[in-house]
Amino acid sequence: MKDLALAWLAQDPDPETRAELEAMLDSPEELEERFGAKLEFGTAGLRGELGAGPNRMNRVTVMRAAAGLAKVLGPGRHVVIGYDARHKSDVFARDTAAVLTGAGIHASLLPRPLPTPVLAFAVRHLGADAGVTVTASHNPPRDNGYKVYWSDGSQIVPPVDSEISAAIDAVGPVNELPLDGPGTLTELDDAIVEDYITALTTLPLGDARELRVAYTPMHGVGGATLTGAFLAAGFDSPVAVEEQRDPDPDFPTVAFPNPEEPGAMDLALALAAKIDADLVLANDPDADRCAVGARDRNGAFRMLTGDELGALLGEHVIRHTTGDRLVATTIVSSTLLGKIAAAHGVRYEETLTGFKWIMRAGDGMVFGYEEAIGYSVGSDRGLPVHDKDGIGAALTVAGIAAAAKRDGRTLLDLLDDQATTYGLHATSQLAFRVADLSLIADAMARLRATPPSTLGGRSVRRTDDLAKGDGGLPPTDGLRFLLEGDARVVVRPSGTEPKLKCYLEVVSDDRDRAAADLDAIKADLRTVLSL
C-alpha cells in the first residue's frame, strides 16, 4: 500500500491532502483504508468524505473523473460545470474545467456557487452535451460529490456510467494530463440564473400572491435564487432564518443538513411562529429538494411528508395542464399519485428510485416526484428542469398555498380533500444508519432467505425481489412486500448514504388507525432486520 500512496503523492496537486497522506505513510491500517478500496463512479457519480487517496473525494479523484468523462465524450463537445458551497467545491469545479479543456472540450462554468437545478437547466438551455455539478447535496459537512448529467439535462443512467467508470480506471497520473486548452473555457454570468428564474415563472402558479413565508436554505446555496424567483413571480420575499441564510460548508446549526432529519427544521419553525407565517419552506444545501410546513387547525405547524407534497403538487399540475400527459413517481413513493392520475385520465408510470429514472418514464411528462422531497414541476410547456428542483417546487406550492389562503383554507385542508376523494394514504419510513456497510448486505440476505409471513398483524400476500426484476422494472437491490388490506413495504439500501431504508404505506379511512398500523409494521421490521 505504501507504494500506491507514494505514487498518489507524486501526482497530487493539493498541499493539504499531500500533508495528510505523508502523515500516514507509516500506518498500514490507515493506508489500507485509503487505498484498499476506491470511490466507485456510478449513476449518482461520486460521493464520499474529503481526504487523500482513491477512497476519498480530492483533487486527484476529481481530475480522474473529469478525464474519464472527457474520454467518453471526445473532443469538440460542450460541458457545463456547476458547484455548491461545500469545502473545495469551487476547486474541484475549476480542476474539472482545466481537464476538460485540456482534452479539447468546451467548458462553461457557472458564475458562483448555485443550486443544482440551475446546472440541470443550463445543460439543456445552452444545448450542451453534458453537465457536471460538484455537490454532496445534504450529506454531512466532510463529504463532497461529483454528479454528471447528459445532454437531456437529466442524470446519467447505464450504460453511460459504466463507460465513464471504465475510462476513469484507464486514466494515468493526473500530473501528466494536458490542462487548460486547446478547448475553451467560458465563465458564465448571471444571465443563466435569470433565464432559469424566467422559466420557473411559466409554471402553474395561479394568481394569488398574498402569503407570508418563513424559509431556510439550510446553510446552502438556494437562498438568493429562491428569493429572486419569488420576487420575479410577484410574491413577497420569504423571511429567511438568519442563522442559516448564508452558505456555510460546516452547517453549524444542524446535525445533518437535511430538512427531513430530526431537529433540522427547528429554527425555521420557530421563525414561522415568530412572524405568524402562513407557510414554512426549506431547501437542502444544493436546493434540489424542498420541504414544506403548514398550519393545522390549532395554529401549530406540521411538516408535510414528501408523499403528501407530491400528491398536492401532482394534482395541481394535472388540473392546470391539458392534452396527453404523463406523471411519474417511484416504487418507494405513495401509490396515491397513480390514483389521482387515473381519476383525471392522465398517464402514470412507476420507476426505480431516483430522478434519473423518473425523468425517463416517458414522453409528455409534466410532473415527477420521489418521496425524499424531490419534485420536478412542469406546465403545458413541459419541464423546465429535467431533475428534481427544490426552487420550482417551492414556488409552485407557494402559489397553491396562497390560493388556499384566499379561500380561507390551508394545505392541510387540501390534503383532507384528497383523503376524502382517494382514501387516506399514510406513509412512513424506517431507516437504519450503520458504520459497517456489510451489516446492510447481511440484513438483505437474511430477509431474502427468510422473508416474513406477516408484518404488523397483516399477512404478506406477495413478495417481490426487485434484484430479480420482479415487478417489470430493471433489477435493483430491494424487496417489496404487499400486505393484506392495501398496505405495502419496500426495503432497500440507500444509494447515497450508509443506511438501510424501509418505506411503508397503509391506505385507510382513519388517520389514527393508519398511524397505529404503521407503528406495528415498524416494530416487526425492527425485529426482522435486527439492526
Side-chain angles (χ1 to χ4, degrees), residues 215-528:
Y215 168 68
T216 175
M218 204 69 65
H219 297 296
V221 297
T225 306
L226 180 136
T227 299
F230 267 64
L231 294 175
F235 289 97
D236 288 340
S237 177
V239 180
V241 174
E242 183 72 23
E243 301 93 325
Q244 299 173 334
R245 183 187 62 195
D246 298 325
D248 187 330
D250 293 318
F251 311 112
T253 67
V254 291
F256 290 95
N258 180 352
E260 294 182 290
E261 290 284 346
M265 291 298 298
D266 287 355
L267 290 176
L269 291 169
L271 174 64
K274 179 180 178 181
I275 68 172
D276 193 27
D278 303 302
L279 191 70
V280 180
L281 294 174
N283 290 130
D284 66 339
D286 71 329
D288 64 350
R289 288 177 166 86
C290 174
V292 174
R295 287 189 183 274
D296 63 21
R297 292 184 180 87
N298 298 318
F301 276 94
R302 176 172 84 77
M303 296 303 298
L304 275 62
T305 68
D307 285 315
E308 288 175 329
L309 183 54
L312 287 180
L313 287 170
E315 186 156 31
H316 176 79
V317 171
I318 288 172
R319 290 183 184 277
H320 291 83
T321 51
T322 58
D324 180 31
R325 55 213 190 277
L326 170 70
V327 297
T329 189
T330 72
I331 56 172
V332 301
S333 302
S334 171
T335 58
L336 175 55
L337 182 62
K339 295 172 184 175
I340 293 170
H344 290 274
V346 172
R347 288 182 291 122
Y348 167 78
E349 291 290 342
E350 282 186 8
T351 73
L352 294 180
T353 306
F355 253 81
K356 58 183 176 286
W357 299 113
I358 293 174
M359 289 297 101
R360 290 171 172 83
D363 295 333
M365 185 178 296
V366 292
F367 177 73
Y369 96 94
E370 61 183 359
E371 47 67 44
I373 59 174
Y375 314 91
S376 185
V377 179
S379 67
D380 281 331
R381 301 186 184 192
L383 299 168
V385 176
H386 284 201
D387 194 23
K388 51 187 176 288
D389 178 4
I391 295 175
L395 198 59
T396 306
V397 77
I400 298 171
K405 180 183 179 181
R406 185 172 59 189
D407 296 337
R409 311 184 79 211
T410 72
L411 296 182
L412 300 185
D413 293 319
L414 302 185
L415 288 174
D416 287 343
D417 290 348
Q418 288 188 328
T420 299
T421 303
Y422 306 109
L424 174 66
H425 289 63
T427 60
S428 188
Q429 279 191 38
L430 182 63
F432 302 89
R433 183 181 290 272
V434 300
D436 180 359
L437 287 175
S438 69
L439 296 175
I440 291 177
D442 291 346
M444 291 298 294
R446 289 196 304 272
L447 206 54
R448 285 188 168 94
T450 54
S453 58
T454 63
L455 286 170
R458 298 168 181 254
S459 62
V460 177
R461 57 184 179 84
R462 195 177 89 201
T463 300
D464 293 333
D465 189 343
L466 303 177
K468 297 178 179 178
D470 292 355
L473 294 169
T476 187
D477 189 9
L479 291 162
R480 178 169 57 190
F481 304 100
L482 303 182
L483 314 182
E484 67 172 335
D486 207 355
R488 182 210 64 191
V489 174
V490 179
V491 182
R492 60 176 285 272
S494 169
T496 57
E497 298 176 276
K499 286 182 178 180
L500 183 65
K501 299 177 112 176
C502 308
Y503 306 83
L504 292 65
E505 180 177 48
V506 170
V507 182
S508 178
D509 57 5
D510 182 88
R511 196 172 298 277
D512 291 337
R513 183 162 62 248
D517 288 346
L518 290 171
D519 286 343
I521 295 171
K522 286 181 183 179
D524 282 357
L525 285 170
R526 288 189 182 95
T527 301
V528 169

Side-chain angles (χ1 to χ4, degrees), residues 3-329:
D3 288 344
L4 294 175
L6 290 171
W8 190 276
L9 272 174
Q11 61 178 316
D12 189 351
D14 190 334
E16 183 178 335
T17 47
R18 282 205 312 271
E20 177 189 351
L21 188 52
E22 285 169 350
M24 62 178 68
L25 286 176
D26 295 323
S27 172
E29 295 81 7
E30 289 183 294
L31 292 181
E32 176 66 31
E33 201 275 330
R34 298 299 181 94
F35 289 87
K38 66 181 177 70
L39 296 181
E40 295 291 346
F41 187 94
T43 55
L46 296 166
R47 192 175 294 190
E49 187 177 346
L50 291 165
N55 204 25
R56 291 288 190 274
M57 284 295 299
N58 51 65
R59 294 182 66 185
V60 177
T61 297
V62 164
M63 293 172 76
R64 289 174 57 83
L69 174 61
K71 180 67 174 178
V72 170
L73 286 171
R77 298 300 184 93
H78 179 198
V79 178
V80 187
I81 304 165
Y83 56 101
D84 65 10
R86 283 178 175 266
H87 292 293
K88 302 207 176 202
S89 287
D90 57 340
V91 177
F92 294 164
R94 290 204 170 268
D95 282 341
T96 297
V99 172
L100 292 178
T101 56
I105 289 171
H106 172 52
S108 294
L109 183 65
L110 293 185
R112 62 180 185 278
L114 284 167
T116 292
V118 175
L119 180 280
F121 167 83
V123 171
R124 292 177 64 243
H125 188 64
L126 298 176
D129 297 290
V132 170
T133 187
V134 181
T135 180
S137 191
H138 54 269
N139 275 39
R142 283 295 301 168
D143 287 0
N144 213 326
Y146 197 84
K147 191 184 297 186
V148 175
Y149 292 77
W150 223 230
S151 59
D152 60 355
S154 59
Q155 297 175 49
I156 58 171
V157 294
V160 175
D161 60 327
S162 58
E163 293 171 1
I164 297 173
S165 180
I168 292 170
D169 289 342
V171 173
V174 299
N175 59 332
E176 298 177 6
L177 291 171
L179 303 176
D180 299 317
T184 57
L185 171 64
T186 299
E187 302 209 17
L188 299 170
D189 58 22
D190 272 359
I192 190 65
V193 183
E194 294 165 7
D195 290 345
Y196 164 74
I197 289 173
T198 298
L200 296 190
T201 61
T202 68
L203 295 175
L205 306 179
D207 58 4
R209 292 294 183 269
E210 185 181 338
L211 195 71
R212 185 180 293 112
V213 177
Y215 168 68
T216 175
M218 204 69 65
H219 297 296
V221 297
T225 306
L226 180 136
T227 299
F230 267 64
L231 294 175
F235 289 97
D236 288 340
S237 177
V239 180
V241 174
E242 183 72 23
E243 301 93 325
Q244 299 173 334
R245 183 187 62 195
D246 298 325
D248 187 330
D250 293 318
F251 311 112
T253 67
V254 291
F256 290 95
N258 180 352
E260 294 182 290
E261 290 284 346
M265 291 298 298
D266 287 355
L267 290 176
L269 291 169
L271 174 64
K274 179 180 178 181
I275 68 172
D276 193 27
D278 303 302
L279 191 70
V280 180
L281 294 174
N283 290 130
D284 66 339
D286 71 329
D288 64 350
R289 288 177 166 86
C290 174
V292 174
R295 287 189 183 274
D296 63 21
R297 292 184 180 87
N298 298 318
F301 276 94
R302 176 172 84 77
M303 296 303 298
L304 275 62
T305 68
D307 285 315
E308 288 175 329
L309 183 54
L312 287 180
L313 287 170
E315 186 156 31
H316 176 79
V317 171
I318 288 172
R319 290 183 184 277
H320 291 83
T321 51
T322 58
D324 180 31
R325 55 213 190 277
L326 170 70
V327 297
T329 189

